[in-house]
Amino acid sequence: MTKPWISLSGIGVFAVLLLGVAPFVLTDHWLNNLGKYCCWAIVAVGIGLVWGRGGMLVMGQGVFFALGAYSMAMHLTLETAGDRIPGFMVLYDPLAPLPAFWEPFRSAGFTLLAIVVLPVVLAGVLGYALFKRRVKGAYFAILTQALAVALAILISSTIRETGGDTGLSDFKYFFGYVLNDPANKLMVYLIAAGLLVVCLLAVWQLYRSRFGELLVATRDAEERVRFLGYDPANVKLVAFVVSALMASIGGAMFVPIVGIITPAEIGAAASIMMIAGVAFGGRASLFGPALGAMAVGWGQSSLGSTWPEGWTYILGLLFVVVILFLPNGLSSLPARIAAARRKPDAQPTPAAVPTAAELEEVRS
């Protein structure tokens, strides 16, 4: 097991690179892209907790990503529109009033509260219903992915209320700050990068706590944990809720950085891409999920723009190769290289087998 101070030092180095070095060496374009990767990395850190340590394959994190993203997008849309009805609503019905569920999102405080409370409540209710009934494995993965697909379809079909497939975009302000200002763009990036560091610290603390030990024990021997007097459902539920909260935070910061949110960012394909990043980096390690998500995000930005159709196949091939040859992700590669270089222990010399002539001489 990695010593705690080594992981903590790694978080410190990671924070220095993101917050102290990147803003000075990257162009505005790539800094904005790095902010987008940080949002995906926040989601991946939560997936690493619930999948890597808890053994629960969550393929529907797009649901909680959407809660944070659309909460933030609704507030920014209303902030841009001012006292008027948002432009996409006027386009379909100039006389239609603002939907009632939009009105509270005029408040910045309510928006921030919704980003935190909505995923916690939904994950709490969903997790309690599933874990208490001992739903796990493939059934749990399929169910969570089905929820992401259902939510994406619902948003696509409510074009007058949510913008449908076109989504919400054209944001001018971020809590009073002009988004086109380079200084404010830098501020938004620093917030996203800072939240990623905070999430890494939170998960690092959870890993080394008694809860982290119980989570691993629940993954490896659920019945033994139950016999020791702990309820595995409660342990899983806490991890699932924390993961959902991180996904919502990542979605909320994704909106001002990218400038748009559509159902394509929350459906099955998006959720699978989040899982692929975690698997690529190494789901059981602390930094693997974040680095893997950032690497996959970079691949999507670089290859997806030049070869959009082929990028999907590359992502699928990458996922298969990692599962077959590096089941623990790239984070396990240094340990495997070190093990390969290590000299094998000296093997005892096998005893000489007597020949037939020698056996005959012994008998005589």
Side-chain angles (χ1 to χ4, degrees), residues 21-345:
V21 177
F24 296 100
V25 300
L26 296 180
T27 63
D28 292 342
H29 170 74
W30 280 109
L31 191 65
N32 191 72
N33 279 347
L34 182 58
K36 179 172 63 175
Y37 307 155
C38 286
C39 296
W40 284 330
I42 293 173
V43 183
V45 170
I47 296 176
L49 172 67
V50 75
W51 182 31
R53 293 301 175 102
M56 297 167 283
L57 178 57
V58 285
M59 301 189 69
Q61 289 300 87
V63 173
F64 307 110
F65 188 88
L67 291 177
Y70 273 90
S71 294
M72 178 66 76
M74 288 163 67
H75 174 74
L76 299 187
T77 298
L78 292 174
E79 193 175 18
T80 300
D83 296 331
R84 297 169 297 172
I85 303 297
F88 75 92
M89 293 183 182
V90 176
L91 183 64
Y92 294 104
D93 188 354
L95 302 179
L98 184 70
F101 71 92
W102 273 72
E103 196 63 43
F105 288 95
R106 291 189 183 276
S107 168
F110 179 87
T111 300
L112 295 176
L113 188 65
I115 292 169
V116 174
V117 173
L118 288 179
V120 169
V121 172
L122 179 60
V125 173
L126 180 63
Y128 184 86
L130 294 179
F131 299 139
K132 287 297 182 179
R133 288 168 175 77
R134 302 187 185 183
V135 176
K136 55 185 177 181
Y139 299 101
F140 179 78
I142 293 172
L143 181 58
T144 54
Q145 188 176 48
L147 290 175
V149 173
L151 181 60
I153 294 175
L154 175 64
I155 293 176
S156 297
S157 61
T158 54
I159 188 169
R160 295 187 179 183
E161 292 80 14
T162 63
D165 290 330
T166 306
L168 301 177
S169 60
D170 196 26
F171 312 118
K172 298 293 192 301
Y173 303 99
F174 177 75
F175 294 97
Y177 295 92
V178 179
L179 273 176
N180 287 333
D181 190 336
N184 294 335
K185 288 185 177 181
L186 175 61
M187 176 191 67
V188 174
Y189 161 77
L190 292 176
I191 293 174
L195 287 172
L196 173 57
V197 173
V198 170
C199 289
L200 284 171
L201 285 171
V203 170
W204 171 77
Q205 181 60 38
L206 287 175
Y207 282 177
R208 60 193 296 266
S209 66
R210 185 169 183 81
F211 169 78
E213 296 175 354
L214 279 174
L215 186 60
V216 174
T218 300
R219 177 195 66 191
D220 297 336
E222 184 173 331
E223 292 303 322
R224 291 186 180 183
V225 172
R226 184 175 288 107
F227 291 151
L228 290 174
Y230 297 97
D231 189 351
N234 293 337
V235 178
K236 292 180 179 181
L237 181 61
V238 172
F240 187 55
V241 169
V242 172
S243 176
L245 176 59
M246 291 184 181
S248 179
I249 293 172
M253 292 309 303
F254 180 87
V255 169
I257 291 176
V258 179
I260 186 173
I261 182 65
T262 67
E265 304 291 345
I266 66 173
S271 297
I272 290 174
M273 192 189 75
M274 298 173 190
I275 290 290
V278 176
F280 179 65
R283 65 181 186 271
S285 65
L286 178 63
F287 294 100
L291 296 177
M294 297 175 93
V296 170
W298 174 82
Q300 185 191 42
S301 299
S302 302
L303 299 177
S305 57
T306 57
W307 193 23
E309 297 179 355
W311 163 244
T312 304
Y313 297 103
I314 293 176
L315 182 61
L317 178 63
L318 179 67
F319 191 75
V320 171
V321 169
V322 169
I323 294 299
L324 289 178
F325 300 102
L326 283 174
N328 293 323
L330 291 182
S331 61
S332 65
L333 193 57
R336 296 187 66 172
I337 293 176
R341 289 181 176 179
R342 193 179 301 118
K343 292 182 179 180
D345 296 331

